[in-house]
Amino acid sequence: ITQVTKGIKISVQTSFEGTFFKNYKMHYAFGYTITIENQSKDAVQLTSRHWKIYDSLNDMETLDGEGVIGKKPVIQPGDSHTYNSGCLLTSPIGAMKG
């Protein structure tokens, strides 16, 4: 999945990491890789994140925080920043938006 807004290209790759039991419930682990590419003429800084995680069996969960993976990268024109993370769902189907 790729989206470009105001010269910033965001690309996402997802992967299914497996299942396990936690608190007597089956959980489905998903990983994702986010690449942020600066196609604009100006340097940009990633200062915060906002995710909405949808699980087909539960309500939406909202996650907000500073930076990503403890960093607030400055991305120069033509450069990119890539990071990996993941989430747990209680169903095999879900979605993220942010």
Side-chain angles (χ1 to χ4, degrees):
I1 298 173
T2 300
Q3 178 73 42
V4 179
T5 304
K6 297 182 180 180
I8 307 302
K9 179 180 176 182
I10 309 294
S11 301
V12 180
Q13 294 181 328
T14 60
S15 60
F16 175 66
E17 301 294 328
T19 59
F20 65 94
F21 279 95
K22 179 181 175 184
N23 298 329
Y24 303 103
K25 287 184 181 179
M26 178 70 80
H27 285 75
Y28 301 83
F30 292 88
Y32 54 89
T33 300
I34 306 280
T35 299
I36 304 162
E37 182 181 344
N38 185 357
Q39 298 177 339
S40 76
K41 296 177 186 176
D42 302 309
V44 296
Q45 184 172 20
L46 181 59
T47 59
S48 64
R49 67 184 181 280
H50 174 79
W51 289 110
K52 291 183 180 182
I53 302 172
Y54 301 88
D55 187 319
S56 66
L57 297 178
N58 293 311
D59 293 332
M60 175 197 63
E61 179 181 0
T62 301
L63 299 175
D64 292 297
E66 291 189 10
V68 289
I69 314 298
K71 298 179 181 178
K72 294 182 182 179
V74 174
I75 308 169
Q76 298 297 327
D79 286 346
S80 64
H81 178 76
T82 300
Y83 71 95
N84 300 297
S85 194
C87 65
L88 295 177
L89 303 178
T90 56
S91 74
I93 299 171
M96 291 179 69
K97 180 179 179 181

